[in-house]
Amino acid sequence: MSTVQCVLAGSAQMMLFALSLPKESIVVVEGAVALLDNPLRYTTVREVEIQVRKLYCISRAAPKLPISVEDAGRSAEEFAKAEAKGVPLPCVGQDTRLDYRVIDLRTAAGQAVFRVQHQVENKFREYLSSKDFISIHTPKLISGSSEGGAAVFKLEYKNGKCACLAQSPQLHKQMAICGGFCRVFEVGSVFRAEDSNTHRHLCEFVGLDAEMEIMRHYFEVCDIVDGLFVELLRHLNENCKTELEAINRQYPFEPVKYLESTLRLSYEEGIQMLKEAGTEIEPMADLNTEAEKKLGQLVREKYDTDFFILYRYPLAARPFYTMPCYDNPAYSNSFDVFLRGHLNI
């Protein structure tokens, strides 16, 4: 979404008409584009303005809206500054945003999030298609849980039977591979009845899933994942600058650091880094959340990257179907991808 400054250059009657329009009304303007001496700060189009000669109202907004786009688009820093001056600003909470989502989506950050998401999905499809993957669509209403555990949504089906919302397309992806499709991917909804209230647990999300046959070594999968993430991060940096700036203004973040050739650490190397930093890990056990975060911090300090792959986990820390390493069955042919210390695959 772009914003531009419009300056009324018409009659006094047109100015009175413009003043009568409530905020968020839909209008059409006609005028001349004028170059500015000094770039503007508060619009996305900063070098020019429109000197309006004609103004038409297409849809007049309600005089009083439940929330304003301006309030919904403020950052934590703006609230803090206003509080320090003794002039607190209206704060739009999450429940209110969801109640009036149509208005909330009109913020610069709200628009940008969806546009970045669109680019992520498109690049995911484009990259995997270039590597001979084909897109499939798997069932989301199935007869039983697709993964172990209790995190499954159950619902009543016909004739008193029970159905479940799919927790993962894993089984159907593997069926496709066994059916002769060498490489497949899917962009689709995933449902999990999570009880945990953290940013790492969601009841519903759009999953980007892929499955492929391995010819010689599981590093073939690492190569695909490595190339996908690097290509994706590069694409976002080059093609979503405006959107990332809009998100950063309301929700500040540091740009992701990554290497063109992704860092790969064995589990043993990762554990050694943690031990040298004074973090004790149970031998041959999986990493807990704090250990993952700490390792991400150490990797950034040492290798200047937020993104890395940790491979060759202990067999005891992986699911039963994981293949043991041929040279040492205590370890497994497995890996995880980390971005800023958080597990991503």
Side-chain angles (χ1 to χ4, degrees):
M1 181 177 69
S2 299
T3 56
V4 63
Q5 175 172 282
C6 294
V7 178
L8 297 181
S11 64
Q13 185 178 3
M14 185 179 71
M15 294 183 184
L16 289 173
F17 173 70
L19 289 171
S20 72
L21 296 175
K23 288 185 177 181
E24 303 308 315
S25 295
I26 308 299
V27 299
V28 171
V29 300
E30 181 180 312
V33 176
L35 189 64
L36 297 172
D37 294 331
N38 300 312
L40 299 169
R41 293 183 178 181
Y42 50 85
T43 58
T44 60
V45 180
R46 298 171 182 173
E47 292 77 20
V48 298
E49 67 180 13
I50 299 177
Q51 296 178 350
V52 180
R53 290 194 293 263
K54 294 182 180 179
L55 172 64
Y56 304 92
C57 178
I58 305 301
S59 179
R60 183 183 290 265
K64 188 175 181 180
L65 297 173
I67 62 173
S68 75
V69 173
E70 184 180 7
D71 290 337
R74 289 194 172 99
S75 66
E77 183 182 3
E78 291 178 88
F79 286 114
K81 287 181 178 179
E83 191 74 29
K85 293 178 180 178
V87 188
L89 296 169
C91 181
V92 182
Q94 178 174 286
D95 289 344
T96 305
R97 288 181 186 275
L98 295 176
D99 286 341
Y100 305 103
R101 188 64 168 142
V102 172
I103 301 176
D104 181 52
L105 285 175
R106 295 173 69 93
T107 63
Q111 289 274 319
V113 166
F114 279 84
R115 296 179 189 279
V116 170
Q117 178 179 288
H118 168 72
Q119 292 293 332
V120 169
E121 179 179 340
N122 275 1
K123 199 63 186 177
F124 177 80
R125 292 180 179 276
E126 177 187 312
Y127 180 83
L128 291 184
S129 295
S130 73
K131 301 297 182 182
D132 298 324
F133 284 74
I134 68 166
S135 174
I136 63 173
H137 298 284
T138 63
K140 303 306 171 194
L141 190 63
I142 56 180
S143 60
S145 63
S146 46
E147 290 187 353
V152 58
F153 285 108
K154 296 183 178 180
L155 60 149
E156 184 178 343
Y157 192 59
K158 295 181 179 181
N159 302 322
K161 294 181 178 180
C162 180
C164 299
L165 295 179
Q167 300 158 282
S168 165
Q170 186 65 36
L171 175 62
H172 294 91
K173 288 188 303 177
Q174 291 173 340
M175 289 172 63
I177 299 300
C178 293
F181 296 98
C182 299
R183 297 181 169 195
V184 299
F185 72 87
E186 179 179 27
V187 178
S189 296
V190 176
F191 304 92
R192 294 181 180 174
E194 298 281 8
D195 290 328
S196 302
N197 185 22
T198 76
H199 68 282
R200 303 181 70 178
H201 295 83
L202 295 171
C203 288
E204 179 183 359
F205 61 90
V206 176
L208 306 180
D209 286 277
E211 191 79 22
M212 60 181 280
E213 66 178 14
I214 299 172
M215 298 299 293
R216 295 180 178 85
H217 196 275
Y218 74 100
F219 270 19
E220 295 167 28
V221 183
C222 293
D223 293 340
I224 291 292
V225 174
D226 178 349
L228 171 63
F229 272 84
V230 170
E231 186 69 19
L232 180 58
L233 292 170
R234 183 192 300 120
H235 177 78
L236 295 180
N237 287 337
E238 293 176 354
N239 297 280
C240 297
K241 292 179 181 179
T242 301
E243 289 79 9
L244 293 175
E245 287 174 2
I247 297 171
N248 196 26
R249 282 195 297 271
Q250 185 168 0
Y251 306 107
F253 64 88
E254 291 184 21
V256 175
K257 289 190 173 185
Y258 66 96
L259 304 174
E260 288 297 324
S261 180
T262 300
L263 173 69
R264 299 184 189 184
L265 295 173
S266 69
Y267 173 87
E268 292 174 300
E269 290 172 321
I271 293 300
Q272 186 60 34
M273 289 178 65
L274 288 168
K275 287 183 177 179
E276 291 175 358
T279 301
E280 290 300 323
I281 303 295
E282 184 181 345
M284 307 301 282
D286 203 357
L287 301 181
N288 58 34
T289 301
E290 291 306 313
E292 290 175 356
K293 290 180 179 180
K294 182 63 176 179
L295 182 58
Q297 176 188 336
L298 295 172
V299 166
R300 176 167 180 141
E301 291 172 357
K302 184 173 182 179
Y303 298 101
D304 197 33
T305 180
D306 294 313
F307 174 62
F308 66 98
I309 293 174
L310 193 67
Y311 68 93
R312 196 179 164 92
Y313 275 76
L315 187 64
R318 308 306 281 181
F320 71 91
Y321 50 76
T322 309
M323 179 180 288
C325 289
Y326 70 90
D327 60 329
N328 187 344
Y331 291 90
S332 64
N333 291 337
S334 63
F335 71 95
D336 280 326
V337 175
F338 291 85
L339 185 61
R340 287 184 172 162
H342 296 288
L343 178 65
N344 289 276
I345 189 171

